[in-house]
């Protein structure tokens, strides 16, 4: 229901699932539901509730799995996304760094989760430390290309985040070039109605305005 956009219908089912797992004592399943509920609440713009859901999820996973586990890092990263979206950038940066440190200790070599954590950290520090953000975006993009190939939705997300960073830096031609890479994926790995297709079209339009190509 959430994927279909039927958010009003989805929420009571999340709540019912939580109530059911609570009575069953299924702690890791409870953490998984809280994880999904946190993402749902972020979509709804209910950031404080999303933060509470993710913090509860993190506490459960740490108690059962320990500090150095991929699921704990994923939970931290998702909490950081909510904090960053709500403007709490210092907290988002700190928690992103913690997630990335955990993943780098678990995976000694390149890994998709490491690339994902690098991308979210880059977004958290792009205003405070743009040079570090650009290095993180480049490294994450290179890692995802190496692991996933050039035509993959995760590569497209990194391209978009990096392109928007470049747009804010006023490097409009390079930003438009990255957006064009995303658009070349439409109909192949991205459906025509995918949010990244729409976002890349919008970013391309913004860049063309800035470079004077109004038509």
């Amino acid at each position: 229901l959430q994927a279909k956009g039927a958010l009003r219908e989805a929420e009571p089912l999340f709540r019912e699932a939580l109530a059911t797992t609570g009575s069953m004592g299924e702690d890791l399943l409870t953490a998984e539901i809280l994880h999904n509920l946190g993402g749902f609440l972020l979509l709804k713009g209910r950031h404080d509730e999303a933060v509470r859901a993710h913090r509860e999820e993190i506490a459960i996973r740490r108690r059962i799995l320990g500090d150095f586990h991929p699921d704990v890092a994923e939970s931290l990263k998702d909490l950081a996304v909510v904090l960053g979206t709500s403007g709490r950038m210092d907290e988002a940066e700190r928690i992103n760094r913690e997630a990335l440190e955990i993943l780098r200790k678990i995976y000694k070599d390149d890994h998709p989760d490491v690339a994902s954590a690098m991308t979210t950290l880059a977004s958290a520090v792009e205003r405070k430390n743009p040079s570090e953000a650009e290095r993180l975006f480049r490294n994450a993009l290179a890692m995802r290309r190496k692991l996933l190939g050039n035509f993959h939705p995760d590569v497209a997300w990194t391209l978009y985040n990096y392109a928007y960073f470049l747009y804010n830096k006023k490097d409009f031609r390079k930003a438009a070039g990255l957006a064009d890479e995303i658009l070349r994926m439409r109909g192949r790995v991205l459906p025509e109605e995918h949010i990244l297709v729409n976002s890349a079209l919008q970013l391309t339009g913004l860049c063309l305005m800035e470079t004077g190509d109004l038509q």
Side-chain angles (χ1 to χ4, degrees):
L1 288 167
Q2 177 179 325
K4 285 175 62 179
L7 301 185
R8 184 176 299 176
E9 298 169 62
E11 183 167 6
L13 297 179
F14 279 126
R15 302 294 181 185
E16 184 179 353
L18 274 179
T20 304
T21 57
S23 65
M24 294 164 58
E26 293 280 357
D27 284 350
L28 283 177
L29 183 54
T30 300
E32 181 68 18
I33 296 166
L34 285 164
H35 172 81
N36 291 323
L37 177 61
F40 167 85
L41 292 166
L42 175 61
L43 280 178
K44 292 280 286 182
R46 290 154 58 182
H47 297 147
D48 289 345
E49 293 176 72
V51 166
R52 285 195 295 272
H54 284 309
R55 289 197 192 281
E56 188 177 349
E57 163 204 348
I58 290 164
I60 294 170
R61 283 180 165 170
R62 276 190 155 145
R63 175 169 53 80
I64 297 172
L65 303 172
D67 288 331
F68 290 93
H69 191 280
D71 289 351
V72 173
E74 179 187 31
S75 300
L76 289 166
K77 184 168 64 69
D78 288 342
L79 171 59
V81 168
V82 179
L83 292 168
T85 303
S86 58
R88 296 157 66 176
M89 303 310 295
D90 288 342
E91 287 181 89
E93 178 188 350
R94 177 177 57 78
I95 292 170
N96 266 311
R97 290 192 189 281
E98 184 180 357
L100 183 56
E101 181 183 359
I102 291 170
L103 291 168
R104 279 177 165 158
K105 286 182 178 179
I106 294 171
Y107 305 116
K108 304 302 182 185
D109 299 316
D110 293 347
H111 190 277
D113 290 352
V114 174
S116 176
M118 290 168 68
T119 301
T120 55
L121 176 58
S123 295
V125 302
E126 62 180 53
R127 291 187 180 178
K128 177 180 176 181
N129 192 340
S131 59
E132 181 188 14
E134 183 151 18
R135 176 175 53 80
L136 286 163
F137 278 130
R138 285 180 172 175
N139 290 344
L141 182 58
M143 192 181 296
R144 280 187 157 165
R145 288 192 198 277
K146 173 184 172 184
L147 296 169
L148 305 171
N150 288 325
F151 286 86
H152 191 281
D154 289 349
V155 173
W157 278 111
T158 305
L159 283 166
Y160 179 73
N161 290 324
Y162 184 24
Y164 215 94
F165 166 80
L166 291 169
Y167 171 79
N168 287 327
K169 275 188 66 179
K170 303 189 184 306
D171 191 345
F172 304 120
R173 295 191 185 280
K174 189 171 182 181
L178 297 181
D180 187 60
E181 281 196 63
I182 299 169
L183 293 173
R184 288 201 294 272
M185 297 186 200
R186 65 196 297 192
R188 298 179 66 175
V189 298
L190 299 176
E192 285 289 336
E193 290 76 23
H194 197 283
I195 188 172
L196 271 176
V197 174
N198 292 300
S199 298
L201 286 167
Q202 181 189 42
L203 183 56
T204 301
L206 291 170
C207 291
L208 290 168
M209 285 175 62
E210 294 290 350
T211 56
D213 190 351
L214 301 182
Q215 187 173 351

